[in-house]
Structures are given as C-alpha cells and as structure tokens.
Amino acid sequence: MRWVIFVVVYVLLDIYAYQVFRTISRYSWVYYIYLFFSLAVLANIIYQFNTGSGEGWAGAKSYAIGFFLVFFLPKLIFFIFMLGEDVGRLVLGTVRKVGNTGNDFSLPSRRKFISQVALGLAAIPFASVLYGMYKGRYNFRVLKHTMYFEDLPAAFDGYRISQISDIHSGSFDNHEKIKYGVDLLKQQQSDVIFFTGDLVNNKASEMEGWKQLFSSINAPDGVFSILGNHDYGDYIEWESAAAKEANLERLKNIHAEMGWDLLLNEHRFLERNGEKIALVGVENWGAGGFKKKGDLDKAGAGLSAKEFKILLSHDPSHWEEKVRYNDRHYQLTLSGHTHGMQFGIEIPGWIKWSPVQYRYKHWAGVYEDLGRAINVNRGFGFLAYPGRVGIWPEITVIELKKGPKPA
C-alpha cells in the first residue's frame, strides 16, 4: 500500500512537471525524454527496495535514492509554482464568469513566464544534488575551534584535539578520495584523535577493505573511539541473534586491530606534566527511539566534578537530555550522528541552516551552556543519499585554552 501512495504522489507531481516542459517548449521530444528518465528513476527505486540484498541503504540502493532526489526535488518546485498558477487561473476565470452576462466560462491559458521561472529555480536543486553526488561527498573540510575553560589543567593549555565521526565505511567507493581525507586528518598533527561513532553502516565486514588505511591514523596520546547507533547492526535482518552479536564483537576487535582504544562506558586519563584530564566514552544513547546503551554513571564512576573531563557520546541528544545538567560537570562533549543531514546552507557569520535542525537542537558545530560545551561533528562519510550539499564532510580540530573566553 505504501508503494501505491508513493507512486500516486510521484505521478501527480510529474503531471505538473510535464506541463512545465510542454508550456515552455514546442518540441514534444523534450518532455517525452524527461518523462522517460523520470519514470526510469521511479522504477529503479521501487526495484532496489523490493529486490535488494538487505544490506541497508548503501550501494545500488544509495544511488537509487540519489537519482530519485535529483528528479523529486525539482518536481516539488514545479508543483508549488504550477499549483499556485492554477489557483490564480481559477480565481481569474471565476471573476470573468461572474462579470460576464453570457454563459461562456474559460480559464486563461498557462503563462509561459511562470513555467520558465519554475524551471529556472528547479535547476538549482537538480544541479546541487548531482554535484553533491559527484564531488560534494568527498569535499573534506578542516574546521578549527579554540575553546576556553577556566578549570583546564595548565599543562593542557594549547592542547590540540582532532575529531572525526560517522565514517560509514559501507558507503565508500573511492579509495583515493578517502585516503585524501585520512591524510588531511593526519596533517593536523593533533595531540590526540577522537572518533565518535558509526564506523560502519551495519556489518563489521564493511571495514575489511578500509582497515589498513584507517590504521595509519595515529597521534602522540593515541586514538580513542566509541560506538554509534549503526555499529550495533540494528538496521538489517540477521539469521540469528548469535550472528548479530558476533558481528558486534568483530567490530570491536577491528577497533583494536587499527590501534584505536574503544571506550565502552568507561574512562581513561590523559596525562601531561603530572596533570590529568579524564576521557570518558559511552556507548550509544539517543532520544527518539535510538538505542540507549550509554551508561554515563558507569562510564564516569569514581570521577568528581573537580576533574576536567572530555566526554565522547555519539548522539548530541544525550548532551541535551542527560549530560548538560550532570553533577559530574562534563566540560566538553564531542558528538556526531546528525551528518547535518548532508544537506543545508552554511555561510560563516551569515547563515547556518539544515532541515535536521527541526529534529536536533544541536546539530553541527559548537554550542555552549552552563559552563559546558559540545561540538557536533558533521561526519566524515555519508549514508543513504550518496552525497553532500552545503554540509561538507568534516575534520574538527579543537585547541584547548586555559582561561576565560575573550570578550
């Protein structure tokens, strides 16, 4: 039934799109070619999601989603403009009818100008989504922040942290581009590197072809990692509960094989010149139906509010609901998860917008409240839609400074 509704909506939108092409072009082959590709995209996404391998939203399914968006988003613009124009034509036709003593009733013909405007605006998401698939998904950016804490141990003044998140290795298909991203991370020469969850889409085997590359990541104080919601294998069907558990154990071992210290509701200490900061890592905890295995009390057992603490927690909703007011006072939390929805508009100092902000209050970048701070990394990889538009893959570099934040 869901596919019937899906197809009906898609075809309804196509009727309006067809009218746009028919209005602006006198060549019938133009709109017939459009309809051919549009229906081919529809058939492909139905096929992929009814006969696919069940490995999740990657590979052929991912590209089916991408090309569907290439056609669907412009259709929405066509629909808005043409429906508005239809309403206008109906109102104008009614006015003419009321003011006419005869019985003839006719609607004004479609305005070519409106169709041209709709086509021009629709070209923006069409080109953007294609660009996001072709180049945007590997358009790695290094975002740097300086963060001030009055209770930071003096020995850590100037300490540099690199953070990546949401690798989603099962979506990768270009080794050269991923190597460029990894090399960019290593070039930052930070004191420590943190990975904040979602190494894979579903299966540990997705990392087998990438393990050697990510093993090359290192830092003087080590590489530390946590699990994200996708790492538990919850989004595909398994032949048995034992197979699912074995997959999780294999994934944990891969962290160790890469030289990453995986924190599972536990903490470590980073030490410099006799002073320490506590590094706390929890398993996934997410609001809104996501897995809640994160145990902040267990992870922080033995710590007090006096120690300076960095918390690794995949889902930023954890900070909003559990961490921000915690009595142990977690000064800095590092998260990921949202990907910034892989779509939005960001112009530093001007605008920062993505549809994901209507789901997550803290969705990208640094937020501060009550003397605590969180950085939400936009993600290294991608999932479902095989691209990024405006929200680019991110490597975060944070420099810790002791003292009050400059005015």
Side-chain angles (χ1 to χ4, degrees), residues 218-254:
N218 56 72
D221 288 345
V223 180
F224 297 86
S225 58
I226 57 171
L227 297 176
N229 56 299
H230 278 267
D231 294 322
Y232 297 92
D234 288 342
Y235 304 118
I236 59 173
E237 294 185 7
W238 297 88
E239 58 269 28
S240 66
K244 182 180 179 181
E245 183 62 29
N247 175 75
L248 180 57
E249 289 305 311
R250 175 60 190 140
L251 187 68
K252 293 176 181 179
N253 289 335
I254 286 175

Side-chain angles (χ1 to χ4, degrees), residues 10 89 93 122 186 202 237 254 267 303 335 340 348 378 383:
Y10 190 90
R89 290 167 68 229
K186 293 190 291 186
N202 297 291
E237 294 185 7
I254 286 175
H267 65 266
L303 300 177
S335 299
R378 294 159 180 81
L383 180 68

Side-chain angles (χ1 to χ4, degrees), residues 338-358:
T338 72
H339 301 204
M341 203 174 171
Q342 298 168 210
F343 176 83
I345 302 172
E346 286 195 270
I347 304 175
W350 289 86
I351 186 172
K352 177 181 174 183
W353 176 87
S354 169
V356 79
Q357 71 187 51
Y358 305 115

Side-chain angles (χ1 to χ4, degrees), residues 9 11 21 24 27 55 111 128 138 203 225 294 306 356:
V9 172
V11 171
F21 285 99
I24 66 175
Y27 299 107
E55 294 294 319
R111 298 187 182 98
S128 297
Y138 296 130
K203 290 188 173 182
S225 58
K306 295 180 179 180
V356 79

Side-chain angles (χ1 to χ4, degrees), residues 43-104:
N44 183 49
I45 198 167
I46 293 174
Y47 171 79
Q48 293 297 337
F49 278 84
N50 284 279
T51 63
S53 63
E55 294 294 319
W57 289 14
K61 283 184 179 180
S62 180
Y63 281 97
I65 293 170
F67 285 112
F68 171 79
L69 290 175
V70 167
F71 278 83
F72 185 75
L73 295 180
K75 289 178 198 294
L76 289 178
I77 294 178
F78 293 151
F79 175 75
I80 292 170
F81 271 80
M82 292 299 101
L83 180 62
E85 205 252 348
D86 272 347
V87 172
R89 290 167 68 229
L90 181 60
V91 171
L92 183 58
T94 302
V95 170
R96 287 181 179 178
K97 170 64 176 177
V98 172
N100 191 344
T101 56
N103 295 322
D104 292 337

